[in-house]
Amino acid sequence: MATAPRVVALIAVRNEADIILENVHALSAAGISAYVIDDGSEDGTVECLRPLIGRGVLGIETLPPRSDFNLRRILERKERLCR
């Protein structure tokens, strides 16, 4: 008997504390797990997600600090995770 595929959302965040919990809960309610890539949040985004690890959030990683926004490195990280 084949098992159903697991769906995981790769979410890149930066200062999303005001909306991230609502989004993760909506994904979880739809049977979708989240893996979060933090790009230097300074507003408590990561801290508010930590209690959800194992309960909708598979993991959280923080990219090395940079002063500028760099979409390429976020997309490259997502690509590596997909492999």
Side-chain angles (χ1 to χ4, degrees), residues 5-60:
R6 184 174 192 182
V7 178
V8 176
L10 300 177
I11 305 172
V13 298
R14 184 173 188 155
N15 295 330
E16 307 291 347
D18 59 333
I19 62 169
I20 192 61
L21 291 177
E22 180 180 340
N23 285 280
V24 169
H25 288 308
L27 288 167
S28 185
I32 301 170
S33 299
Y35 185 85
V36 180
I37 304 164
D38 180 64
D39 189 28
S41 293
E42 299 173 342
D43 69 344
T45 298
V46 172
E47 290 76 13
C48 72
L49 287 169
R50 279 200 183 108
L52 298 180
I53 293 175
R55 297 180 21 228
V57 174
L58 294 175
I60 303 167

